[in-house]
Amino acid sequence: MWLVELFMMGVGARELIVAEYRVTGLSPEVIAELVAEVGPLWEAQHQARLTARPRKRAVGAGAKRRFVFVDRLLATLVNLRHGTTHDVLACWFGVDRSTITRAIGEVRPLLAQRGCTIAPGIRLRTLADVVEHLGSSRQTGIIDGTEIRVRRPAAGRKDRDRFVPGKTKQNAVKSMVVTDDEGRVLFCSPARPGSCADITQARQLGLATLLADGPFLEVLADAGYQGMGAQTGGRVVTPPHRKFKKNAPAWYEKMHEQKRKAHSSRRIRVEHGIAHLKNWRSLARHHGRREHMSDMIQAVAGLLSHQQSITCSHA
């Protein structure tokens, strides 16, 4: 019903988008905070762009913008949440498709720079911030890699096979997700080609160095990160190794299975956090440019964590 009403409302879609949680996945309170926070950044960016180019008339002369910042922000949120095409958004807001494309291209990087909100006014923007937060709060961190399917690179590209992971055999990019022991998203890394192994991506992000040199804390991981435990002084905990490859005694099989399930039951919260991320359709499968994936992943992580922090503070 809300979708039909949006088509009928045209340029009046703003009120329904803000009021209906299902459209953006964000409460009106969060959207109001985004307007207050990101609006001045976008205006400063816009003015800098106007003054940087050669001009024959003063800044501000000419026709005034009809597509105000609030509408630009809402169009970006709907695009991230539902993967709505730019043509459809242009119909909703009564503007040209190119205007929507330009607006999303301007707002999305600003959302990506915000970082993940863990409490009102407290943000984690880098992996170092996450390690410091987990250490100071004595919480357990959980890491895992997630893949997002993307379009196949054009034929003839030298790096075409880099986007095909060995496990799924589908063109994808990969991001490392860090959550706390309650499943709240603390960090999402920039996108890497899908063939990059989970442990390789973690090392490239500097996780091993940060943990080895930082405070002692426990970080749960799956078998894809085996080997990092020795590099981090036991801070990264992975599933137990099998000592018997075949013909294992029954008692050993039972003990190994119990330990594996105990580890899995503690680590499952990161899967819940990834599932919340994938509820945003732009991260379920992306049909646009792969160059935008890092901004999309980090923008969604920041928005989701902001909503989670508001929900927890009201609980």
Side-chain angles (χ1 to χ4, degrees):
M1 178 61 68
W2 61 266
L3 186 60
V4 176
E5 292 178 358
L6 276 176
F7 275 111
M8 296 175 60
M9 292 177 67
V11 295
R14 180 194 303 173
E15 293 78 10
L16 182 57
I17 292 176
V18 173
E20 182 56 66
Y21 178 86
R22 292 174 296 174
V23 182
T24 62
L26 303 174
S27 64
E29 180 181 357
V30 172
I31 295 176
E33 292 181 5
L34 288 173
V35 172
E37 176 187 349
V38 183
L41 299 178
W42 177 84
E43 187 63 34
Q45 176 181 275
H46 179 69
Q47 292 299 322
R49 186 166 53 250
L50 291 178
T51 56
R53 63 191 184 195
R55 308 183 63 86
K56 292 186 177 180
R57 55 184 178 178
V59 175
K64 304 304 179 183
R65 296 191 306 268
R66 291 189 302 111
F67 198 43
V68 297
F69 170 74
V70 175
D71 291 338
R72 293 169 185 263
L73 174 64
L74 294 178
T76 305
L77 296 178
V78 175
N79 175 259
L80 291 172
R81 180 66 176 178
H82 294 287
T84 311
T85 64
H86 296 186
D87 285 324
V88 172
L89 290 172
C91 293
W92 287 0
F93 289 96
V95 296
D96 191 76
R97 181 187 184 279
S98 61
T99 303
I100 293 291
T101 302
R102 184 168 56 252
I104 293 177
E106 293 171 355
V107 175
R108 184 173 53 207
L110 297 178
L111 295 176
Q113 296 168 11
R114 297 174 63 247
C116 291
T117 305
I118 58 173
I122 303 178
R123 300 273 174 79
L124 304 177
R125 291 183 171 85
T126 65
L127 195 55
D129 293 340
V130 175
V131 172
E132 181 180 356
H133 165 70
L134 291 174
S136 61
S137 60
R138 298 184 179 181
Q139 295 186 69
T140 298
I142 315 176
I143 61 174
D144 198 9
T146 183
E147 294 178 359
I148 302 167
R149 292 185 62 185
V150 295
R151 295 169 60 183
R152 188 180 187 186
R157 282 193 53 168
K158 295 182 180 179
D159 60 348
R160 195 182 193 194
D161 294 337
R162 294 177 61 224
F163 291 92
V164 182
K167 184 177 181 180
T168 61
K169 305 298 183 183
Q170 296 175 336
N171 292 274
V173 295
K174 180 176 292 184
S175 174
M176 188 182 79
V177 180
V178 184
T179 70
D180 59 16
D181 51 9
E182 296 181 358
R184 292 187 297 181
V185 177
L186 304 180
F187 177 78
C188 283
S189 72
R192 293 277 295 156
S195 62
C196 181
D198 288 351
I199 191 171
T200 301
Q201 186 176 29
R203 288 169 175 162
Q204 292 174 347
L205 291 169
L207 179 61
T209 303
L210 289 172
L211 291 176
D213 299 338
F216 186 83
L217 59 102
E218 184 181 50
V219 177
L220 304 178
D222 63 9
Y225 296 90
Q226 283 183 345
M228 289 197 71
Q231 299 174 356
T232 59
R235 289 170 172 81
V236 176
V237 182
T238 55
H241 288 277
R242 290 187 63 88
K243 294 184 178 180
F244 296 89
K245 292 186 178 180
K246 57 182 180 179
N247 300 325
W251 62 267
Y252 176 81
E253 288 285 0
K254 182 178 180 180
M255 180 187 67
H256 177 80
E257 187 66 15
Q258 289 176 344
K259 290 183 178 180
R260 188 189 66 82
K261 287 185 176 179
H263 179 85
S264 179
S265 64
R266 296 184 63 200
R267 200 192 64 84
I268 194 63
R269 292 304 183 95
V270 72
E271 304 292 352
H272 298 163
I274 292 174
H276 288 304
L277 288 170
K278 293 296 183 71
N279 283 336
W280 295 68
R281 295 294 297 173
S282 58
L283 301 190
R285 182 172 183 176
H286 182 58
H287 297 279
R289 293 179 177 271
R290 292 180 299 277
E291 294 81 2
H292 298 156
M293 285 307 304
S294 293
D295 282 346
M296 292 173 63
I297 293 169
Q298 294 179 316
V300 170
L303 295 169
L304 174 62
S305 64
H306 194 166
Q307 182 62 55
Q308 289 177 334
S309 68
I310 293 294
T311 303
C312 292
S313 64
H314 290 173

